[in-house]
Amino acid sequence: MKKFFILVFCVLWSKVLYSQEFRLSGKVTTTTGLPVKYVRVSITGQSRQSVADSAGVFSVYGLKPGQYEVNFIHIGYQKKIQVVVIGTTDVFMAITMDPWQHQLKEVGVRNKRGEIRRQTESMNIEVVGSEFIQRNLGGSLMQTLDRLPGINTIGIGSGQSKPLIRGLGFNRVVVVDKGVKHEGQQWGADHGLEIDQFAAGEVELIKGAASFLYGSDAIGGVIDIKPRSAPAKNTFGGAVDLIGKSNNNLYGTSANLFARQDHFFYDARVTYQNYGDYSVPANQVFVYDYAVDLKNGRLRNTAGRETAVHLNTGYIKDGFRTVFYLSNVYSKSGFFANAHGLEPRRVDTEMHDRSSRDIQMPGQEVNHLKLINRTEYSIAQHKLQIELGYQRNFRQEFSQYVNHGYMPPAYPDTLPIPPDLEREFDKHVYSVNLRDEFKAGKHLLTAGINAEYQHNRINGWTFLVPSFNQMTTGAFIYDKYELNDQVLLHAGMRYDYGRVRLFEYQDWFPSSGATGATGGKLIRANNLTRRFSSVVWSAGINYNPEHFVLKANLGKSFRMPIAKELGANGVNYHYFSYEKGDANLSAEQSYQADLSLGWNAKNWSVLISPFYNYFPNYIYLNPTAYHDYFYGAGNQVFQYSQSKVMRYGSELKLRVDLLKGLSSEFVGEYLYARQLSGDKKGYGLPFSPPISGMISLSWSPAFGGGLDDTYLGIDYRIAGKQDRIVPPEKKTPGYTVINLQAGTKINLFRQPLILNMQVQNLLNTKYMNHTSFYRLIELPEAGRNLILSLKIPFQLKTDAN
């Protein structure tokens, strides 16, 4: 009987043991202790695989007890095969990989990682690394990314821009920096993002609605900016980036230092850029039919200065890491003097043309302070993550006092507001994100909650948007189910709740016949509290046989109205318009469908990504037939309203390897937008990009002799005309532009020097970009621009003792 009970116990225990699942994790390094990033980790006979992150760390979940053969593959390194035994606990492996004598280009590895990310996500995702950013440096990170299909920018001058994803921008696109949603004054087309592109590591772009993961505002897409990886153990190093641009005589540098002992590290960076007025291939432009002469084709008062300081420090060990990120980004720039304010004809051209580098009024100063903590802890099958963030965005816009309506002719000496302070916005943002990622059988589940509180106050002698407080919170769950080796099913659901409170604003001057307050001072905004909530969902599938790619996603998204849409009531000096909000707007809802079909062969690949979008209540700044002569100096009145909107389009990407080292690529995009109801029924939407494509040819010769990663490239960009406009938008004709790229890596004393060159708008073509801010006044894009950048990295191995 005793033997029988022992036998039963052993059988039951074995069943319990072998029904459990464990995690295999580890870190991959070189023989000198440096991390090997983006190693592909696979298990022979198993569908589970992983890709090591930028620190060389990998994790494979859901393994039952037994013996496994683990494969480690990385281009440029010898394949590593390691046998591991999973018992009754999670297993950690320390893997060392040996390089081949002749290493291949690292960019190929990053492309493979991006391919794996696309294979495991049902949403349309692009992944680019720091090499892509280095090769395609634009005036800002968003301008650098607009080489990708479906990504455009709203540009204002040479240093300011904001992203458009498939024609949607402003508060319909979420920008995530180091895990926390970046919050500035993104409602304004003239307000760029306060992001230092030299500090960016990898950038992940989600094209299409992602509200079920990121909450309200992700109704159009997400730009997720990852930090640079932590240094390897016992290392000290850094880099110096130098950059120069011919069009606006920009010069700049970004210096970086880092060090790490066993577990503690720091990473510091300082960036500075200084640029002058940028030039266009024209000597005269028309600002609303008023002719403006340009000296040497330069847009007066578009110069600027930018400074950024970053300090990252943290503690890292197996299964736990916590990192603090502190950054302060400051910029001072001018607005094109002839395209701002009520009377551009009063511009003192002699003063502005005296120097191309001075910054006069009108202009702006912006300071964005950010403190973020990211903590990760892995225990059993769970990976717990928390992000805490604080941001302060302080923006001031300066202009000479210009009276209109009932404003006094002379600025009062008694007013506490400085006479040149046109507007001021002071926003404080507090954020918290909690996530738990865990494996349950064939399910990889992620559950989380997010909360954010905004406190925004205004100042200045003019009014457009009231002060407000805003609180949002949401909870979600997302499941990836591995049906078999080739099929992944996705499903996600989220609940959001938000409250926005607007505060009353009263003019500082009396208006004849005004009602509401003593002394006849007009109340522009009333106290208002609105609450919004919504349930959103997403469902998708990935089918990945050997060469074929199929991805499909259906979902519903949500966006709550912002303070400007609810309470605007004043002159927008950047648009020559009088804008009015609607306190009764409902939250936007969006239904979307995405599909990706592709084929990957040895020497060629193709991917087509059609999408469809339907908004039953799209919020839209509607140009009316009225003009305000009492408070808006005769400017046209724009009223926020809602209408049904249908959008559809597609992106296409085709790559062909022609010869060894020679390849060609075509990327194209198409978008159709149509309003189905309201005053502008039948019209499109503002800032809708036209059909466009780009043909590129790239040659990567193997010169040897200390030169690595050499490349030469040419891009031929074609854009069609855009005549589906919303008045007072103007139609823009099609255009073609040629750009060149070249670069190499020079090995000097065992340290690489990375040299990159671009020639943008090689033929100095005069054209207008329909998504440009200044296109509204028929201002062409920047002329020919030569960009040179040099990166000088260094790294030393320190004594572990």
Side-chain angles (χ1 to χ4, degrees):
M1 182 65 68
K2 183 178 179 181
K3 291 182 179 179
F4 173 76
F5 281 115
I6 292 174
L7 179 63
V8 170
F9 174 79
C10 291
V11 170
L12 292 175
W13 174 250
S14 64
K15 287 186 176 181
V16 170
L17 175 64
Y18 285 94
S19 65
Q20 289 182 295
E21 294 181 340
F22 299 96
R23 178 170 66 101
L24 172 66
S25 62
K27 182 170 183 178
V28 187
T29 62
T30 65
T31 53
T32 59
L34 298 178
V36 183
K37 21 188 180 179
Y38 313 131
V39 176
R40 186 170 184 175
V41 183
S42 62
I43 298 177
T44 303
Q46 297 278 326
S47 61
R48 293 177 177 84
Q49 62 179 354
S50 176
V51 177
D53 63 16
S54 55
V57 177
F58 68 91
S59 294
V60 180
Y61 294 91
L63 296 177
K64 296 183 182 300
Q67 180 173 295
Y68 297 94
E69 185 180 80
V70 188
N71 305 282
F72 300 87
I73 302 172
H74 188 296
I75 296 177
Y77 288 83
Q78 298 180 35
K79 180 179 178 180
K80 187 96 172 185
I81 300 177
Q82 189 83 21
V83 175
V84 63
V85 175
I86 303 292
T88 59
T89 60
D90 295 338
V91 174
F92 181 86
M93 304 177 69
I95 300 298
T96 302
M97 295 190 72
D98 299 314
W100 290 106
Q101 185 175 1
H102 301 290
Q103 291 197 19
L104 300 178
K105 297 188 304 177
E106 188 178 358
V107 66
V109 179
R110 288 189 180 272
N111 286 341
K112 188 66 176 177
R113 181 177 183 276
E115 177 185 330
I116 294 172
R117 280 288 288 136
R118 288 190 290 269
Q119 287 178 351
T120 56
E121 296 292 339
S122 63
M123 295 177 291
N124 195 303
I125 288 181
E126 293 275 358
V127 180
V128 299
S130 55
E131 292 85 357
F132 177 93
I133 297 172
Q134 185 76 22
R135 290 187 179 192
N136 298 279
L137 281 173
S140 66
L141 178 61
M142 298 306 112
Q143 290 171 328
T144 299
L145 297 176
D146 74 357
R147 194 175 189 272
L148 300 171
I151 310 298
N152 303 98
T153 59
I154 298 175
I156 173 169
S158 52
Q160 305 289 329
S161 63
K162 57 196 318 99
L164 286 174
I165 298 181
R166 292 176 169 174
L168 297 178
F170 303 94
N171 285 74
R172 294 184 178 92
V173 170
V174 165
V175 176
V176 176
D177 184 25
K178 303 176 183 70
V180 171
K181 180 182 173 185
H182 180 83
E183 283 288 357
Q185 304 290 339
Q186 59 261 46
W187 49 265
D190 51 306
H191 301 163
L193 292 175
E194 302 82 9
I195 298 288
D196 180 6
Q197 61 182 327
F198 291 99
E202 191 174 78
V203 180
E204 185 173 286
L205 300 102
I206 299 176
K207 294 183 285 187
S211 293
F212 75 100
L213 281 178
Y214 296 89
S216 176
D217 291 7
I219 203 166
V222 178
I223 298 177
D224 192 351
I225 304 168
K226 315 283 187 181
R228 291 180 178 269
S229 59
K233 288 184 179 181
N234 303 311
T235 55
F236 170 78
V240 175
D241 290 88
L242 303 173
I243 186 171
K245 301 180 183 181
S246 64
N247 182 277
N248 59 350
N249 297 319
L250 178 145
Y251 60 88
T253 184
S254 185
N256 167 237
L257 279 177
F258 62 80
R260 180 177 171 184
Q261 296 176 337
D262 192 11
H263 299 299
F264 289 97
F265 80 93
Y266 76 84
D267 189 341
R269 177 177 295 273
V270 177
T271 301
Y272 176 76
Q273 293 189 99
N274 185 308
Y275 54 90
D277 300 340
Y278 79 96
S279 62
V280 297
N283 290 316
Q284 187 181 71
V285 295
F286 289 85
V287 179
Y288 290 98
D289 299 324
Y290 173 73
V292 174
D293 294 324
L294 304 177
K295 182 180 180 181
N296 300 323
R298 295 199 174 274
L299 301 185
R300 51 184 63 92
N301 202 46
T302 55
R305 317 281 183 269
E306 296 178 8
T307 305
V309 179
H310 308 265
L311 177 61
N312 312 329
T313 184
Y315 177 84
I316 301 175
K317 66 179 298 185
D318 298 338
F320 176 79
R321 67 165 51 200
T322 182
V323 183
F324 288 88
Y325 300 95
L326 175 64
S327 65
N328 192 73
V329 178
Y330 169 82
S331 67
K332 180 179 181 179
S333 58
F335 297 126
F336 177 33
N338 297 100
H340 180 94
L342 297 174
E343 289 293 340
R345 289 169 291 187
R346 297 183 185 177
V347 172
D348 187 342
T349 56
E350 183 179 347
M351 177 193 70
H352 282 292
D353 292 340
R354 194 173 296 130
S355 169
S356 64
R357 304 197 77 88
D358 60 355
I359 304 172
Q360 305 287 347
M361 292 188 291
Q364 64 179 344
E365 293 186 37
V366 185
N367 196 90
H368 197 102
L369 174 68
K370 191 180 296 182
L371 176 62
I372 297 171
N373 172 256
R374 302 188 73 185
T375 299
E376 295 181 4
Y377 179 56
S378 297
I379 179 172
Q381 300 298 311
H382 294 264
K383 182 179 181 181
L384 305 173
Q385 298 172 298
I386 180 171
E387 288 131 5
L388 303 172
Y390 166 75
Q391 302 173 67
R392 185 192 181 193
N393 184 276
F394 186 64
R395 175 181 297 272
Q396 292 179 306
E397 298 181 4
F398 301 96
S399 181
Q400 293 178 339
Y401 174 72
V402 178
N403 68 304
H404 58 90
Y406 296 107
M407 297 173 67
Y411 194 78
D413 296 334
T414 56
L415 201 64
I417 304 169
D420 60 352
L421 183 60
E422 180 182 307
R423 292 178 188 160
E424 180 180 283
F425 304 97
D426 190 1
K427 177 188 279 191
H428 298 256
V429 184
Y430 305 86
S431 308
V432 58
N433 304 322
L434 296 171
R435 283 185 304 278
D436 180 15
E437 182 181 291
F438 57 97
K439 187 81 175 177
K442 292 188 175 183
H443 296 268
L444 179 60
L445 294 158
T446 305
I449 60 173
N450 317 96
E452 181 184 87
Y453 175 75
Q454 299 183 23
H455 173 93
N456 200 8
R457 295 297 179 264
I458 65 168
N459 197 7
W461 52 260
T462 186
F463 173 80
L464 179 59
V465 180
S467 296
F468 67 89
N469 292 342
Q470 179 176 298
M471 183 275 294
T472 56
T473 185
F476 71 92
I477 185 166
Y478 175 43
D479 181 21
K480 288 184 186 179
Y481 177 71
E482 185 182 353
L483 188 63
N484 54 47
D485 291 352
Q486 297 179 342
V487 179
L488 280 172
L489 302 178
H490 303 256
M493 182 171 288
R494 180 186 181 95
Y495 173 76
D496 278 289
Y497 172 81
R499 184 188 69 195
V500 58
R501 181 185 178 190
L502 276 57
F503 294 96
E504 180 184 287
Y505 179 87
Q506 184 183 84
D507 276 340
W508 53 269
F509 55 89
S511 300
S512 300
T515 58
T518 333
K521 294 181 180 179
L522 182 71
I523 296 177
R524 295 290 185 93
N526 292 301
N527 288 319
L528 175 70
T529 300
R530 293 287 311 277
R531 293 174 175 84
F532 304 92
S533 63
S534 181
V535 174
V536 299
W537 54 270
S538 178
I541 184 173
N542 290 70
Y543 176 51
N544 299 307
E546 186 176 358
H547 297 291
F548 182 62
V549 175
L550 185 149
K551 296 168 55 171
N553 184 266
L554 296 171
K556 175 192 175 186
S557 290
F558 150 87
R559 184 182 74 89
M560 58 182 284
I562 60 174
K564 182 173 185 279
E565 295 165 337
L566 295 169
N569 188 10
V571 178
N572 189 336
Y573 289 89
H574 305 288
Y575 274 121
F576 303 92
S577 60
Y578 192 93
E579 299 180 5
K580 299 189 70 173
D582 183 349
N584 298 310
L585 293 174
S586 60
E588 273 185 350
Q589 307 286 337
S590 170
Y591 299 89
Q592 71 278 343
D594 274 277
L595 179 66
S596 290
L597 296 168
W599 186 269
N600 294 310
K602 182 179 179 180
N603 296 319
W604 65 277
S605 65
V606 62
L607 180 69
I608 183 170
S609 305
F611 62 90
Y612 178 85
N613 219 183
Y614 173 70
F615 289 84
N617 53 355
Y618 186 89
I619 299 175
Y620 166 63
L621 188 58
N622 180 27
T624 72
Y626 303 103
H627 294 75
D628 191 295
Y629 293 96
F630 298 102
Y631 307 103
N635 285 286
Q636 185 177 9
V637 175
F638 287 67
Q639 173 73 55
Y640 276 103
S641 58
Q642 294 188 285
S643 64
K644 297 178 182 178
V645 166
M646 173 191 68
R647 304 169 66 254
Y648 61 82
S650 182
E651 292 107 34
L652 173 65
K653 192 171 185 178
L654 172 64
R655 178 194 58 82
V656 179
D657 294 333
L658 302 173
L659 298 169
K660 183 178 181 181
L662 181 66
S663 63
S664 181
E665 187 176 65
F666 172 79
V667 294
E669 59 184 75
Y670 170 74
L671 170 68
Y672 178 88
R674 184 182 180 88
Q675 296 190 50
L676 305 178
S677 66
D679 295 342
K680 297 298 183 293
K681 181 179 179 180
Y683 285 100
L685 294 174
F687 291 109
S688 293
I691 185 173
S692 65
M694 184 177 68
I695 304 171
S696 64
L697 190 65
S698 180
W699 180 44
S700 301
F703 286 135
L707 296 180
D708 294 325
D709 294 343
T710 303
Y711 67 93
L712 299 167
I714 181 170
D715 295 338
Y716 184 70
R717 186 182 290 269
I718 312 165
K721 65 179 181 178
Q722 181 56 286
D723 51 14
R724 288 194 52 77
I725 60 168
V726 189
E729 273 196 316
K730 295 185 178 181
K731 299 178 181 180
T732 51
Y735 61 87
T736 59
V737 176
I738 297 176
N739 302 319
L740 301 178
Q741 306 93 30
T744 191
K745 182 187 292 183
I746 305 171
N747 293 305
L748 189 64
F749 303 111
R750 289 191 167 184
Q751 300 291 347
L753 275 68
I754 304 169
L755 179 64
N756 298 96
M757 181 194 75
Q758 295 180 71
V759 183
Q760 297 175 341
N761 195 0
L762 175 67
L763 303 182
N764 204 36
T765 303
K766 181 180 179 181
Y767 71 99
M768 277 177 283
N769 182 352
H770 194 77
T771 63
S772 169
F773 174 80
Y774 282 142
R775 177 261 313 165
L776 299 172
I777 57 172
E778 299 187 47
L779 189 66
E781 293 299 292
R784 184 184 299 111
N785 191 17
L786 172 64
I787 302 175
L788 292 175
S789 66
L790 175 65
K791 187 179 187 70
I792 311 171
F794 68 93
Q795 183 165 312
L796 303 173
K797 187 77 175 174
T798 60
D799 189 350
N801 297 321

